[in-house]
Amino acid sequence: MNLIVCVKEIPDPETPASAFAIDPEAKRAIPAKDTPPVISPFDEQAVEAALRMKDELGGKVTVLSMGAPSAEKVLKHTLSMGADEAFLLNDGAFDNPDSTSTAYALAQAIKKVGEYDIVFCGRQAGDFDAGQVGSGIAESLGIPSVTVVKKIDVSDGKARVERVLPDGYEVVEVSLPALVTVSSELGEPRYATLKGIMAAAKKTVPVWNTQEIGAESSKVGASGARTKIQKLFIPVRESKCEMLEGENEEEAASKLALKLREVKLI
Amino acid sequence: MALNFDLTEEQNLTRQAVRDFAEKEIAPVAQLLDEREEFSVELTRKMAEIGLLGCCVPEKYGGSNIGYTSYIIAVEELARVDGSQAATIAAANSLGIGPIYQFGNEKQREEWLPRLCSGDILAAFGLTEPEAGSDAGSSQTRAELRGDHWVINGSKIFITNSACSLTGVIIVQAITGRRGDGKLEVSCLLVPADAAGLTAREMKGKMMWRASNTGELFFDDCAVPEVNLLGKRGDGFHQMLSTLDRGRLSIAAMGLGGSQGAFELAVQYANSRVQFGRPISSFQVNAFKLADMALEIELARNLLYKACWLLENERPFTVEAAMAKLYCSEVMHRCVHHAVQLHGGYGLMKDYRVERMYRDQRLLEIGEGTSEVLRIIIARNIGIAGRAM
């Protein structure tokens, strides 16, 4: 099996909103300088899904990321988890992309990697949560895609995929090659091992630019973006506490239930 | 150009990986294990899975072979979260696996190392005796060669990883006779945990490292095959000194990691605790405590990493290892003291992590060479007239 995973470097999602500054002109969120960049958690699960498939069926896991040079660390992390090779898409022309131009660049890189059976993405990035890039890549490659996946079984050149729904899951059969976006229901990703780290440190992460992935410069980065951010701001969250009294526990509980229904929480 | 403080990519990745593991797997259970005084087989196995056993052993024996500095960084990151788990790993690597790899013959390495590196079993190092603490030379455990077996009699105390269900082998230092010059001949023997005549008793009621396993061992005509001799007969004392030199670096790492953990908790708490209308960290008396902690942690880290660098570059490192262990453990003493002080009344409560760190620190000035013994080692190497004692 030739398996490809697309991952994104994001500011640590555990970082509180107060640690970010907003540049209203450039419409960008600027994290505090000690905010560590990490792999987007859903993408880490996509790596896990690919590694599980490799454990079961053998093959090769290739990881791609489009981003800043610092994304090499994220790619090295995936190599420490057990991925075989990784490539970084970095070029000034890739800057300020939206989901469309990101999907296009990644699809071009996937074509450059060549043979593939399944492409894995996280269900959405842990920063902007758009959830568009996975489907966009599939569209660009002209292959089927299944989103929000928790389990994948491959046999006879087809994949049987469990897709998460609000009240359960549905089973989808899809021909290969295909793209899946992986959800947290897959289960915890494995830890990087120290042996994996030793192997990862010996590997280099080649950097690809616009020409190297055979992309048209008008379709990548800001030039290829089809969406514009109109306004970027940190929403103000207000909270207040209301104490409910009751003669006994039953009465307090029923008042609480009524209150929760009143504010449409249940 | 030679001076360079950059860590390698492997070392940075090791820190990141172990920190991630410690925060997700150890932090949520550390308090409960401490309260129950419970050694966790499950957690030990998980630590083995990511490669924390056999850090300095080649892959052909199942080790992860990450190098000594990376190993020290791994212990540091464990200790930042929990002293007990750091102790399990430090003792397993430095005192258990280390001597078997360093001094064992090929057959012994092949027999023990793969199972030790996989976390199937743990090895312990039996040195301390009820009557032989700092004065390791006064140990009384004896081994006598009868036919083709060593027969051991005596006892050991405070032996980490020696009395749990994972304990597989114990390296026992014993008197095996008298040398030509009349001095005692000391050798080390590999004693399987299930050897007849060996009784291991888990020691309970510890103030610190309550989730690590500590045992008391009794040898009553305990017989092991002659081939279980580790290295050469009579090399036991040298093996012990060498093992302790290396082991001290891992204890130092526990002091450094514990200091870092206590410092982070102190900053976090002092920034969020408001008294007199402002965060208590904004009071100079408190800010200076935090500044002192940051300063000493920086110094401790530089000293410890330099000692590791000496070891990895095959230079003498005994004095620097003693200095690092002494300094890092005393820095942690001051850091946990300040950290509890900053937490005020809450710092005295078990619900707060800093309370456990305060207790866990105390061992570091005692185990693997007391601070007093370490000062003797340093004093003997700085040109003082006579032999410091």
Side-chain angles (χ1 to χ4, degrees), chain A residues 37-39 44 72-78 80 188-203 205, chain B residues 9-11 13-18 20-22 24-25 49-53 55 59 62-67 70 74:
Chain A
V38 297
I39 184 169
E44 194 174 27
E72 189 196 344
K73 277 191 190 158
V74 162
L75 289 169
K76 286 277 183 160
H77 171 70
T78 68
S80 307
E188 287 291 310
R190 67 196 62 193
Y191 291 102
T193 65
L194 302 186
K195 274 180 199 168
I197 287 171
M198 295 306 287
K202 290 191 189 89
K203 292 176 183 167
V205 175
Chain B
E9 186 178 24
E10 293 96 316
Q11 289 158 355
L13 286 168
T14 299
R15 183 186 302 285
Q16 186 190 320
V18 179
D20 184 38
F21 174 88
K24 286 193 190 134
E25 299 289 336
E49 271 170 31
I50 68 161
L52 284 168
L53 294 176
C55 290
E59 288 200 25
S64 48
N65 207 20
I66 56 175
S70 286

Short mmCIF file of all heavy atoms in Angstrom, two decimals, chain A residues 37-39 44 72-78 80 188-203 205, chain B residues 9-11 13-18 20-22 24-25 49-53 55 59 62-67 70 74:
data_model
loop_
_atom_site.label_atom_id
_atom_site.label_comp_id
_atom_site.label_asym_id
_atom_site.label_seq_id
_atom_site.Cartn_x
_atom_site.Cartn_y
_atom_site.Cartn_z
N PRO A 37 4.69 25.54 18.01
CA PRO A 37 3.97 24.99 16.87
C PRO A 37 3.88 23.48 17.02
O PRO A 37 4.84 22.83 17.44
CB PRO A 37 4.84 25.35 15.67
CG PRO A 37 6.14 25.81 16.20
CD PRO A 37 6.08 25.89 17.69
N VAL A 38 2.73 22.94 16.72
CA VAL A 38 2.52 21.49 16.85
C VAL A 38 1.81 20.98 15.61
O VAL A 38 1.29 21.76 14.80
CB VAL A 38 1.68 21.14 18.11
CG1 VAL A 38 2.39 21.56 19.38
CG2 VAL A 38 0.29 21.78 18.03
N ILE A 39 1.73 19.68 15.49
CA ILE A 39 0.96 19.09 14.41
C ILE A 39 -0.52 19.25 14.77
O ILE A 39 -0.92 19.10 15.93
CB ILE A 39 1.33 17.60 14.20
CG1 ILE A 39 0.58 17.00 13.00
CG2 ILE A 39 1.07 16.78 15.46
CD1 ILE A 39 1.10 15.63 12.59
N GLU A 44 -2.60 14.39 13.14
CA GLU A 44 -1.82 13.36 13.82
C GLU A 44 -2.61 12.05 13.79
O GLU A 44 -2.04 10.96 13.63
CB GLU A 44 -1.53 13.78 15.26
CG GLU A 44 -0.45 12.95 15.92
CD GLU A 44 -0.06 13.47 17.30
OE1 GLU A 44 -0.91 14.11 17.96
OE2 GLU A 44 1.09 13.24 17.73
N GLU A 72 9.05 21.62 9.29
CA GLU A 72 9.92 20.45 9.22
C GLU A 72 9.87 19.67 10.53
O GLU A 72 9.92 18.44 10.54
CB GLU A 72 11.36 20.87 8.92
CG GLU A 72 12.25 19.66 8.63
CD GLU A 72 13.74 19.96 8.69
OE1 GLU A 72 14.12 21.14 8.66
OE2 GLU A 72 14.51 18.99 8.79
N LYS A 73 9.74 20.40 11.65
CA LYS A 73 9.68 19.74 12.96
C LYS A 73 8.45 18.84 13.05
O LYS A 73 8.50 17.75 13.60
CB LYS A 73 9.61 20.78 14.08
CG LYS A 73 10.96 21.31 14.46
CD LYS A 73 10.87 22.13 15.74
CE LYS A 73 12.18 22.85 15.97
NZ LYS A 73 12.05 24.01 16.82
N VAL A 74 7.35 19.35 12.53
CA VAL A 74 6.11 18.57 12.54
C VAL A 74 6.29 17.32 11.68
O VAL A 74 5.88 16.22 12.04
CB VAL A 74 4.95 19.45 12.04
CG1 VAL A 74 3.77 18.62 11.61
CG2 VAL A 74 4.55 20.45 13.12
N LEU A 75 6.95 17.49 10.53
CA LEU A 75 7.19 16.33 9.66
C LEU A 75 8.13 15.33 10.33
O LEU A 75 7.93 14.12 10.24
CB LEU A 75 7.75 16.81 8.31
CG LEU A 75 6.71 17.55 7.45
CD1 LEU A 75 7.38 18.23 6.27
CD2 LEU A 75 5.62 16.59 6.97
N LYS A 76 9.14 15.84 11.03
CA LYS A 76 10.06 14.94 11.75
C LYS A 76 9.30 14.16 12.83
O LYS A 76 9.60 13.01 13.10
CB LYS A 76 11.21 15.74 12.37
CG LYS A 76 12.22 16.22 11.36
CD LYS A 76 13.24 15.13 11.04
CE LYS A 76 14.29 15.65 10.08
NZ LYS A 76 15.53 14.89 10.08
N HIS A 77 8.34 14.84 13.44
CA HIS A 77 7.53 14.15 14.45
C HIS A 77 6.80 12.96 13.82
O HIS A 77 6.74 11.88 14.39
CB HIS A 77 6.54 15.13 15.08
CG HIS A 77 5.52 14.48 15.97
ND1 HIS A 77 5.85 13.94 17.19
CD2 HIS A 77 4.19 14.26 15.80
CE1 HIS A 77 4.75 13.41 17.73
NE2 HIS A 77 3.74 13.59 16.92
N THR A 78 6.26 13.15 12.61
CA THR A 78 5.55 12.05 11.96
C THR A 78 6.52 10.93 11.58
O THR A 78 6.17 9.75 11.65
CB THR A 78 4.77 12.51 10.71
OG1 THR A 78 5.70 12.89 9.69
CG2 THR A 78 3.84 13.66 11.01
N SER A 80 9.15 10.24 13.39
CA SER A 80 9.43 9.58 14.68
C SER A 80 8.31 8.63 15.07
O SER A 80 8.52 7.67 15.81
CB SER A 80 9.58 10.62 15.80
OG SER A 80 10.52 11.60 15.46
N GLU A 188 -6.60 7.20 19.90
CA GLU A 188 -5.39 7.97 20.17
C GLU A 188 -4.26 7.66 19.20
O GLU A 188 -4.02 6.49 18.89
CB GLU A 188 -4.90 7.66 21.59
CG GLU A 188 -5.76 8.26 22.68
CD GLU A 188 -5.66 9.77 22.74
OE1 GLU A 188 -4.53 10.28 22.76
OE2 GLU A 188 -6.71 10.44 22.74
N PRO A 189 -3.58 8.69 18.73
CA PRO A 189 -2.38 8.42 17.93
C PRO A 189 -1.26 7.86 18.81
O PRO A 189 -1.24 8.11 20.01
CB PRO A 189 -1.99 9.80 17.40
CG PRO A 189 -2.60 10.77 18.33
CD PRO A 189 -3.83 10.13 18.91
N ARG A 190 -0.38 7.09 18.19
CA ARG A 190 0.74 6.52 18.94
C ARG A 190 1.75 7.60 19.29
O ARG A 190 1.77 8.67 18.68
CB ARG A 190 1.42 5.43 18.11
CG ARG A 190 2.11 5.94 16.86
CD ARG A 190 2.42 4.82 15.91
NE ARG A 190 1.22 4.15 15.44
CZ ARG A 190 1.20 2.99 14.79
NH1 ARG A 190 2.32 2.36 14.52
NH2 ARG A 190 0.08 2.44 14.39
N TYR A 191 2.57 7.31 20.29
CA TYR A 191 3.64 8.23 20.65
C TYR A 191 4.83 8.03 19.72
O TYR A 191 5.03 6.93 19.19
CB TYR A 191 4.10 8.00 22.09
CG TYR A 191 3.06 8.38 23.10
CD1 TYR A 191 2.28 7.43 23.72
CD2 TYR A 191 2.85 9.72 23.41
CE1 TYR A 191 1.31 7.79 24.63
CE2 TYR A 191 1.88 10.09 24.33
CZ TYR A 191 1.11 9.12 24.94
OH TYR A 191 0.15 9.47 25.83
N ALA A 192 5.59 9.10 19.54
CA ALA A 192 6.89 8.95 18.90
C ALA A 192 7.73 8.05 19.79
O ALA A 192 7.66 8.15 21.02
CB ALA A 192 7.55 10.31 18.75
N THR A 193 8.49 7.13 19.22
CA THR A 193 9.37 6.30 20.04
C THR A 193 10.80 6.82 19.90
O THR A 193 11.14 7.50 18.93
CB THR A 193 9.35 4.84 19.59
OG1 THR A 193 9.92 4.78 18.28
CG2 THR A 193 7.94 4.27 19.57
N LEU A 194 11.62 6.47 20.89
CA LEU A 194 13.00 6.94 20.84
C LEU A 194 13.76 6.31 19.67
O LEU A 194 14.59 6.96 19.04
CB LEU A 194 13.70 6.66 22.18
CG LEU A 194 13.02 7.31 23.40
CD1 LEU A 194 13.84 7.12 24.65
CD2 LEU A 194 12.75 8.79 23.19
N LYS A 195 13.43 5.06 19.35
CA LYS A 195 14.03 4.44 18.16
C LYS A 195 13.58 5.19 16.90
O LYS A 195 14.37 5.41 15.98
CB LYS A 195 13.60 2.97 18.03
CG LYS A 195 14.46 2.03 18.82
CD LYS A 195 13.98 0.58 18.64
CE LYS A 195 14.54 -0.27 19.76
NZ LYS A 195 13.94 -1.59 19.84
N GLY A 196 12.30 5.55 16.87
CA GLY A 196 11.77 6.31 15.75
C GLY A 196 12.47 7.65 15.60
O GLY A 196 12.75 8.11 14.48
N ILE A 197 12.77 8.28 16.72
CA ILE A 197 13.47 9.57 16.71
C ILE A 197 14.86 9.41 16.10
O ILE A 197 15.29 10.22 15.28
CB ILE A 197 13.55 10.16 18.14
CG1 ILE A 197 12.16 10.67 18.54
CG2 ILE A 197 14.61 11.25 18.24
CD1 ILE A 197 12.05 11.09 19.99
N MET A 198 15.55 8.33 16.50
CA MET A 198 16.89 8.10 15.96
C MET A 198 16.83 7.92 14.43
O MET A 198 17.69 8.41 13.71
CB MET A 198 17.54 6.86 16.60
CG MET A 198 17.80 7.00 18.09
SD MET A 198 18.76 8.47 18.50
CE MET A 198 20.37 7.98 17.93
N ALA A 199 15.80 7.20 13.98
CA ALA A 199 15.65 6.98 12.54
C ALA A 199 15.27 8.29 11.84
O ALA A 199 15.79 8.62 10.77
CB ALA A 199 14.59 5.91 12.28
N ALA A 200 14.38 9.07 12.46
CA ALA A 200 13.90 10.32 11.87
C ALA A 200 15.03 11.33 11.72
O ALA A 200 15.12 12.05 10.72
CB ALA A 200 12.78 10.91 12.71
N ALA A 201 15.90 11.35 12.73
CA ALA A 201 16.99 12.34 12.70
C ALA A 201 17.94 12.07 11.54
O ALA A 201 18.60 12.99 11.04
CB ALA A 201 17.73 12.34 14.02
N LYS A 202 18.01 10.81 11.12
CA LYS A 202 18.92 10.47 10.01
C LYS A 202 18.30 10.83 8.65
O LYS A 202 18.99 10.82 7.63
CB LYS A 202 19.23 8.98 10.04
CG LYS A 202 20.12 8.58 11.22
CD LYS A 202 20.63 7.14 11.06
CE LYS A 202 21.33 6.68 12.32
NZ LYS A 202 20.41 6.05 13.28
N LYS A 203 17.00 11.09 8.62
CA LYS A 203 16.33 11.37 7.34
C LYS A 203 16.31 12.87 7.07
O LYS A 203 16.19 13.67 7.99
CB LYS A 203 14.89 10.85 7.37
CG LYS A 203 14.82 9.33 7.41
CD LYS A 203 13.38 8.85 7.53
CE LYS A 203 13.36 7.32 7.66
NZ LYS A 203 12.06 6.82 8.07
N VAL A 205 14.33 16.05 5.07
CA VAL A 205 13.00 16.38 4.56
C VAL A 205 13.20 17.30 3.35
O VAL A 205 13.49 18.49 3.52
CB VAL A 205 12.16 17.08 5.64
CG1 VAL A 205 10.82 17.53 5.07
CG2 VAL A 205 11.93 16.14 6.83
N GLU B 9 19.27 17.47 16.91
CA GLU B 9 17.87 17.24 16.57
C GLU B 9 17.28 16.08 17.37
O GLU B 9 16.16 16.15 17.87
CB GLU B 9 17.77 16.96 15.07
CG GLU B 9 16.34 16.85 14.61
CD GLU B 9 16.22 16.62 13.12
OE1 GLU B 9 17.18 16.10 12.51
OE2 GLU B 9 15.17 16.94 12.58
N GLU B 10 18.07 14.99 17.51
CA GLU B 10 17.60 13.84 18.29
C GLU B 10 17.28 14.25 19.73
O GLU B 10 16.29 13.81 20.30
CB GLU B 10 18.67 12.73 18.37
CG GLU B 10 18.99 12.04 17.08
CD GLU B 10 20.21 12.65 16.40
OE1 GLU B 10 20.29 13.90 16.35
OE2 GLU B 10 21.04 11.88 15.91
N GLN B 11 18.17 15.07 20.29
CA GLN B 11 17.97 15.48 21.69
C GLN B 11 16.71 16.33 21.83
O GLN B 11 15.93 16.14 22.77
CB GLN B 11 19.22 16.23 22.18
CG GLN B 11 20.40 15.27 22.36
CD GLN B 11 21.75 15.96 22.33
OE1 GLN B 11 21.85 17.17 22.08
NE2 GLN B 11 22.81 15.21 22.57
N LEU B 13 14.09 16.30 19.78
CA LEU B 13 12.92 15.45 19.53
C LEU B 13 12.64 14.55 20.73
O LEU B 13 11.49 14.27 21.07
CB LEU B 13 13.14 14.60 18.27
CG LEU B 13 13.03 15.32 16.92
CD1 LEU B 13 13.56 14.43 15.79
CD2 LEU B 13 11.59 15.73 16.62
N THR B 14 13.72 14.08 21.39
CA THR B 14 13.55 13.25 22.58
C THR B 14 12.83 14.03 23.67
O THR B 14 11.88 13.54 24.29
CB THR B 14 14.92 12.76 23.11
OG1 THR B 14 15.54 11.97 22.09
CG2 THR B 14 14.76 11.94 24.37
N ARG B 15 13.26 15.27 23.88
CA ARG B 15 12.60 16.08 24.92
C ARG B 15 11.10 16.23 24.60
O ARG B 15 10.24 16.02 25.45
CB ARG B 15 13.25 17.46 25.01
CG ARG B 15 12.63 18.30 26.14
CD ARG B 15 13.14 19.73 26.18
NE ARG B 15 14.58 19.87 26.33
CZ ARG B 15 15.25 19.67 27.46
NH1 ARG B 15 14.61 19.30 28.55
NH2 ARG B 15 16.56 19.82 27.51
N GLN B 16 10.82 16.56 23.35
CA GLN B 16 9.43 16.79 22.95
C GLN B 16 8.60 15.52 23.11
O GLN B 16 7.49 15.54 23.65
CB GLN B 16 9.46 17.23 21.48
CG GLN B 16 8.14 17.64 20.90
CD GLN B 16 8.28 17.80 19.38
OE1 GLN B 16 9.29 18.31 18.87
NE2 GLN B 16 7.29 17.34 18.66
N ALA B 17 9.17 14.38 22.70
CA ALA B 17 8.42 13.12 22.76
C ALA B 17 8.18 12.69 24.20
O ALA B 17 7.07 12.28 24.56
CB ALA B 17 9.17 12.03 22.00
N VAL B 18 9.20 12.80 25.05
CA VAL B 18 9.04 12.34 26.43
C VAL B 18 8.14 13.30 27.20
O VAL B 18 7.32 12.87 28.03
CB VAL B 18 10.41 12.16 27.13
CG1 VAL B 18 10.23 11.70 28.57
CG2 VAL B 18 11.27 11.15 26.35
N ASP B 20 5.66 15.02 25.96
CA ASP B 20 4.32 14.72 25.49
C ASP B 20 3.78 13.47 26.21
O ASP B 20 2.66 13.46 26.75
CB ASP B 20 4.40 14.48 23.97
CG ASP B 20 3.05 14.26 23.34
OD1 ASP B 20 2.10 14.94 23.75
OD2 ASP B 20 2.95 13.42 22.42
N PHE B 21 4.61 12.43 26.25
CA PHE B 21 4.22 11.19 26.90
C PHE B 21 3.95 11.43 28.39
O PHE B 21 2.93 11.00 28.94
CB PHE B 21 5.32 10.14 26.73
CG PHE B 21 5.07 8.87 27.49
CD1 PHE B 21 4.33 7.85 26.92
CD2 PHE B 21 5.54 8.69 28.79
CE1 PHE B 21 4.07 6.67 27.62
CE2 PHE B 21 5.29 7.54 29.50
CZ PHE B 21 4.55 6.51 28.91
N ALA B 22 4.86 12.13 29.06
CA ALA B 22 4.74 12.33 30.51
C ALA B 22 3.48 13.12 30.84
O ALA B 22 2.78 12.81 31.81
CB ALA B 22 5.98 13.05 31.04
N LYS B 24 0.70 13.31 29.04
CA LYS B 24 -0.54 12.60 28.72
C LYS B 24 -0.72 11.34 29.55
O LYS B 24 -1.84 10.98 29.89
CB LYS B 24 -0.56 12.24 27.24
CG LYS B 24 -0.83 13.45 26.35
CD LYS B 24 -1.15 13.01 24.94
CE LYS B 24 -1.19 14.20 23.99
NZ LYS B 24 -0.46 13.95 22.77
N GLU B 25 0.36 10.63 29.83
CA GLU B 25 0.23 9.32 30.47
C GLU B 25 0.55 9.32 31.97
O GLU B 25 -0.03 8.55 32.73
CB GLU B 25 1.14 8.29 29.78
CG GLU B 25 0.83 8.06 28.31
CD GLU B 25 -0.47 7.31 28.07
OE1 GLU B 25 -0.91 6.58 28.98
OE2 GLU B 25 -1.06 7.47 26.99
N GLU B 49 7.55 0.82 25.96
CA GLU B 49 7.09 0.84 24.56
C GLU B 49 7.66 2.01 23.76
O GLU B 49 7.95 1.88 22.59
CB GLU B 49 5.56 0.91 24.50
CG GLU B 49 4.89 -0.46 24.51
CD GLU B 49 3.39 -0.34 24.70
OE1 GLU B 49 2.81 0.67 24.25
OE2 GLU B 49 2.82 -1.27 25.31
N ILE B 50 7.79 3.16 24.40
CA ILE B 50 8.34 4.30 23.64
C ILE B 50 9.88 4.29 23.64
O ILE B 50 10.50 5.16 23.05
CB ILE B 50 7.79 5.67 24.08
CG1 ILE B 50 8.26 6.05 25.48
CG2 ILE B 50 6.28 5.73 23.97
CD1 ILE B 50 8.12 7.54 25.75
N GLY B 51 10.46 3.30 24.29
CA GLY B 51 11.92 3.14 24.19
C GLY B 51 12.71 3.70 25.36
O GLY B 51 13.90 3.96 25.24
N LEU B 52 12.05 3.87 26.52
CA LEU B 52 12.75 4.48 27.65
C LEU B 52 13.62 3.48 28.42
O LEU B 52 14.33 3.86 29.35
CB LEU B 52 11.75 5.14 28.61
CG LEU B 52 11.19 6.48 28.11
CD1 LEU B 52 9.99 6.92 28.93
CD2 LEU B 52 12.27 7.55 28.14
N LEU B 53 13.56 2.21 28.04
CA LEU B 53 14.47 1.24 28.66
C LEU B 53 15.52 0.86 27.62
O LEU B 53 15.19 0.57 26.48
CB LEU B 53 13.70 0.02 29.15
CG LEU B 53 12.72 0.30 30.30
CD1 LEU B 53 11.92 -0.94 30.65
CD2 LEU B 53 13.46 0.80 31.53
N CYS B 55 18.13 2.93 26.85
CA CYS B 55 18.42 4.18 26.13
C CYS B 55 19.85 4.21 25.58
O CYS B 55 20.11 4.86 24.57
CB CYS B 55 18.24 5.38 27.05
SG CYS B 55 16.52 5.70 27.47
N GLU B 59 20.85 -1.25 19.30
CA GLU B 59 19.58 -1.83 18.86
C GLU B 59 19.63 -3.35 18.77
O GLU B 59 18.61 -4.02 18.93
CB GLU B 59 19.17 -1.24 17.51
CG GLU B 59 18.71 0.20 17.63
CD GLU B 59 17.86 0.66 16.46
OE1 GLU B 59 17.24 -0.20 15.82
OE2 GLU B 59 17.83 1.87 16.21
N GLY B 62 18.13 -4.71 21.54
CA GLY B 62 16.79 -4.20 21.80
C GLY B 62 16.73 -2.79 22.36
O GLY B 62 15.67 -2.27 22.68
N GLY B 63 17.89 -2.15 22.48
CA GLY B 63 17.92 -0.79 23.04
C GLY B 63 17.52 0.26 22.02
O GLY B 63 17.39 -0.03 20.83
N SER B 64 17.31 1.49 22.50
CA SER B 64 16.98 2.56 21.58
C SER B 64 18.23 3.39 21.23
O SER B 64 18.22 4.15 20.29
CB SER B 64 15.87 3.46 22.14
OG SER B 64 16.15 3.82 23.48
N ASN B 65 19.30 3.21 22.03
CA ASN B 65 20.61 3.79 21.72
C ASN B 65 20.56 5.27 21.35
O ASN B 65 21.09 5.68 20.33
CB ASN B 65 21.25 2.99 20.58
CG ASN B 65 22.77 3.07 20.65
OD1 ASN B 65 23.33 3.37 21.70
ND2 ASN B 65 23.42 2.80 19.53
N ILE B 66 19.94 6.05 22.22
CA ILE B 66 19.76 7.46 21.89
C ILE B 66 20.93 8.33 22.35
O ILE B 66 20.97 9.52 22.08
CB ILE B 66 18.44 8.02 22.48
CG1 ILE B 66 18.39 7.81 24.00
CG2 ILE B 66 17.24 7.38 21.81
CD1 ILE B 66 17.20 8.43 24.67
N GLY B 67 21.87 7.72 23.06
CA GLY B 67 23.01 8.51 23.54
C GLY B 67 22.75 9.02 24.95
O GLY B 67 21.60 9.15 25.39
N SER B 70 20.74 12.44 25.49
CA SER B 70 19.31 12.26 25.22
C SER B 70 18.64 11.49 26.36
O SER B 70 17.52 11.79 26.76
CB SER B 70 19.08 11.50 23.91
OG SER B 70 19.36 12.33 22.82
N ALA B 74 15.63 12.69 28.71
CA ALA B 74 14.41 11.89 28.92
C ALA B 74 14.08 11.80 30.42
O ALA B 74 12.93 12.01 30.82
CB ALA B 74 14.58 10.49 28.32
#
